[in-house]
Amino acid sequence: MKVVILAGGFGTRIRDVSEDVPKPMIPIGPYPILWHIMKIYAGFGHKEFVVCLGHKGNVIKDFFLNLRARTRNLTVDFANDGEILFHDEVEALDWKVTLVDTGQTAMTGARIGAIREYIGDEDFMLTYGDGVSDVDIGKLVAFHKDSGRVLTVTGVRPPGRFGEIVANETGIVSGFNEKPQTSGGRISGGFFVATSKLFDYLEDRDDLVFEQEPVNAIVADGQLAMYSHDGFWQPMDTSREYRLLNDLYKSGNSPWLPKL
């Protein structure tokens, strides 16, 4: 199953960490958070990615084009037409990464609509390029298939500044409030699974916010399910959260990374 990652936003709330790179490229340890997110999915066997680019998308392209050079010792033999010899062995990546320019100012719904040709009629996974979790992707996908709904969202219990999801005991959603004043239940942690019918809810306009009109229409049709996750989930929206994730990584406690 393909994994779509929204990586085109401006990340205005974390500019005090770095203004030179797009938010998904802000590092946790030696690798950008985008790489960590992909490692989560790859750990469950999902290794084909479609990355929706926008703000400074060229930085993300450069990262993947030069990934081998960034992570391995090498020799450049200029006497032999600039031949590059890689010396050390590192973990082999068998990922397939499609990088799609979805527009500089497009909102999330428009970005998803722009990659329809790369998905076709298959189910796919969808998440944001700024949050990590130890969610069991296998169980999430199985739950989605059993629900028979168009879209499944992972519901988590984080700080109250996020929106709230209201669901019944079977996991069918009756309310999706992106930014309520108070929150006592679960909120969207990203890590969605969708059928291709999701594209039917997306209008062709740059200002379309996925979490607003499309998701509310899906809720109204009874087609949004919630997979409850009580484990680790952490976004990187602020410099404090950036430091938190990096401190966890440096301590050797990275609960989001698959145990090999």
Side-chain angles (χ1 to χ4, degrees):
M1 192 179 292
K2 294 176 181 176
V3 181
V4 175
I5 304 177
L6 294 167
F10 286 89
T12 54
R13 286 181 292 181
I14 200 169
R15 283 182 177 172
D16 53 335
V17 173
S18 177
E19 294 186 359
D20 299 327
V21 298
K23 189 177 180 183
M25 293 302 293
I26 295 176
I28 301 175
Y31 294 102
I33 189 171
L34 177 60
W35 179 91
H36 288 263
I37 295 166
M38 296 166 83
K39 286 286 287 185
I40 295 169
Y41 285 101
F44 288 89
H46 302 284
K47 303 178 181 181
E48 190 167 354
F49 302 94
V50 179
V51 183
C52 300
L53 303 179
H55 177 61
K56 295 188 177 180
N58 60 305
V59 177
I60 298 177
K61 287 183 178 180
D62 288 346
F63 172 79
F64 286 103
L65 288 172
N66 297 288
L67 183 57
R68 292 179 69 197
R70 287 173 177 267
T71 57
R72 298 177 65 178
N73 294 327
L74 56 87
T75 296
V76 182
D77 186 356
F78 289 103
N80 192 20
D81 198 27
E83 180 183 2
I84 300 175
L85 304 174
F86 292 97
H87 297 293
D88 49 346
E89 292 296 327
V90 296
E91 178 188 358
L93 291 181
D94 53 353
W95 302 353
K96 181 178 180 180
V97 184
T98 300
L99 303 165
V100 183
D101 183 0
T102 57
Q104 285 293 313
T105 60
M107 302 303 288
T108 49
R111 294 191 191 281
I112 298 168
I115 53 86
R116 182 170 190 170
E117 65 181 287
Y118 301 98
I119 301 301
D121 296 326
E122 303 173 0
D123 288 6
F124 64 99
M125 287 177 283
L126 168 70
T127 197
Y128 305 103
D130 62 358
V132 290
S133 175
D134 64 355
V135 60
D136 188 316
I137 300 296
K139 291 181 179 179
L140 168 61
V141 170
F143 177 89
H144 169 74
K145 291 181 178 179
D146 288 344
S147 77
R149 262 55 185 186
V150 169
L151 181 67
T152 296
V153 59
T154 298
V156 297
R157 298 186 186 276
R161 64 187 177 85
F162 293 92
E164 183 180 11
I165 301 170
V166 180
N168 64 21
E169 65 278 2
T170 63
I172 303 306
V173 175
S174 59
F176 189 96
N177 304 311
E178 177 64 6
K179 291 288 188 295
Q181 294 300 311
T182 60
S183 178
R186 295 183 184 273
I187 64 96
S188 169
F191 294 92
F192 299 90
V193 188
T195 72
S196 60
K197 291 181 181 178
L198 173 65
F199 293 109
D200 295 338
Y201 290 87
L202 303 178
E203 298 177 21
D204 184 15
R205 52 186 177 85
D206 271 1
D207 64 347
L208 182 66
V209 178
F210 170 64
E211 300 81 3
Q212 295 178 3
E213 294 167 12
V215 169
N216 284 321
I218 292 170
V219 170
D221 289 345
Q223 289 295 317
L224 179 62
M226 181 182 71
Y227 175 77
S228 298
H229 176 63
D230 291 317
F232 180 87
W233 177 84
Q234 180 61 56
M236 188 166 67
D237 280 333
T238 65
S239 57
R240 183 191 66 81
E241 291 167 339
Y242 162 78
R243 290 190 295 271
L244 169 65
L245 288 169
N246 274 276
D247 287 346
L248 286 172
Y249 184 87
K250 291 174 184 176
S251 71
N253 177 25
S254 305
W256 62 89
L257 290 178
K259 304 299 186 292
L260 302 177

